[in-house]
Amino acid sequence: MAKTKRGRVLWSLPSRGRGTCPICNSTRIKLLYSRANAGGTIIKVCKRCSKAEQDKIDAVIP
Ligand SMILES: [Zn+2]
């Protein structure tokens, strides 16, 4: 399987896969992980927050 979270593939993503994580507010971090919040909306989070409790994900309203 191709690596989708490192290397050149990131450069084809919007903002090259980087942004501000809505959970931990880290800026210019890689947002490569998808989590669904309480409303069923998919949000992109960083690696750390991909393992965050669902409560924290649900608290985010995009
Ligand atoms: Zn985060």
Side-chain angles (χ1 to χ4, degrees):
M1 211 176 104
K3 293 175 195 168
T4 55
K5 291 177 168 57
R6 56 171 78 175
R8 185 152 287 175
V9 285
L10 298 178
W11 292 69
S12 63
L13 298 172
S15 310
R16 293 177 173 161
R18 286 181 190 268
T20 303
C21 176
I23 313 296
C24 61
N25 291 315
S26 294
T27 55
R28 300 188 63 210
I29 201 165
K30 288 199 282 186
L31 301 176
L32 301 175
Y33 300 82
S34 299
R35 292 287 301 260
N37 72 2
T41 309
I42 304 294
I43 53 172
K44 302 294 273 180
V45 300
C46 70
K47 191 173 191 173
R48 280 195 318 183
C49 297
S50 70
K51 300 182 182 84
E53 302 94 78
Q54 191 62 42
D55 294 5
K56 288 187 181 171
I57 310 291
D58 291 345
V60 175
I61 295 107

